[in-house]
Amino acid sequence: MEKLPGLFYLRRNVLHVARDLLGKIVITNKDGIITSARIVETEAYAGVLDRASHAFGARRTNRNEVMYGDGGRAYIYLCYGIHHLFNVVTNVEGIPHAVLVRAAEPILGIEVMLERSGKQKLDKTLTRGPGNFSRALGIYTSDNGIALDSKVLSIVDDGFKFPRRDIHASPRIGVDYAGVDAQLPYRFYIKGHPNVSGKPA
DNA sequence: GAGTAGATCCTCT
DNA sequence: GAGGATCTACTCA
């Protein structure tokens, strides 16, 4: 159970980081309440050349400023006025790459996650989809910019690995507005996993 | 099971 | 002033 080293996030290829995050565990510690979940679905956002990214065309605003810093921090923003989306910033300072965590498998603090989500009992939707994932783990825009080896929010490796053959790539979800870039196979997921969003493959 | 509308608010133009 | 890296519930079949 070790926190991922800084070098993990600083790598140049955001696709590798997105793929390698599968199977890792996100842990949050909010007011002493610990929840954790294993990542089963991610999407890569390749910075200035990627129409689906907030940083396309080197756009730099208060909102996406975090993406321009060193990898290893959280970029969290509000989508559709309702959903807090959790991203992992990658690459070195000046290159705004990020990986969106889309889905995970609940591990610790399931009761708390159910309470946060207003659910009565555990079902597959608890941490399925980026909005649900963030809500269950108690991740909000107020956590934007936080380091991923911090006490409140961290990502660890417990040695678990999904079989290579179960890791698949596909076009990203919900980015139709990005034109040709919407077709890029930048989404990585565990084939057949119940917590993966979208239609079963 | 498939398709669609509505929620809801911050951010950027 | 428009629209979004979404989710849910509802309709219709």
Side-chain angles (χ1 to χ4, degrees), chain A residues 2-13 17 21 69-73 88-93 147-150 154-157:
Chain A
E2 295 185 5
K3 286 174 183 172
L4 296 180
L7 284 175
F8 180 91
Y9 306 104
L10 294 174
R11 283 180 291 168
R12 298 276 170 173
N13 192 326
V17 179
L21 277 172
D70 265 339
R73 289 199 288 169
V88 174
V89 177
T90 73
N91 219 309
V92 297
E93 183 172 355
L148 292 174
D149 59 357
S150 63
S154 58
I155 299 180
V156 304
D157 182 357

Side-chain angles (χ1 to χ4, degrees), chain A residues 19-32:
Chain A
R19 189 190 59 205
D20 291 346
L21 277 172
L22 295 174
K24 301 297 185 288
I25 300 175
V26 179
I27 301 176
T28 62
N29 183 341
K30 297 279 181 166
D31 301 321

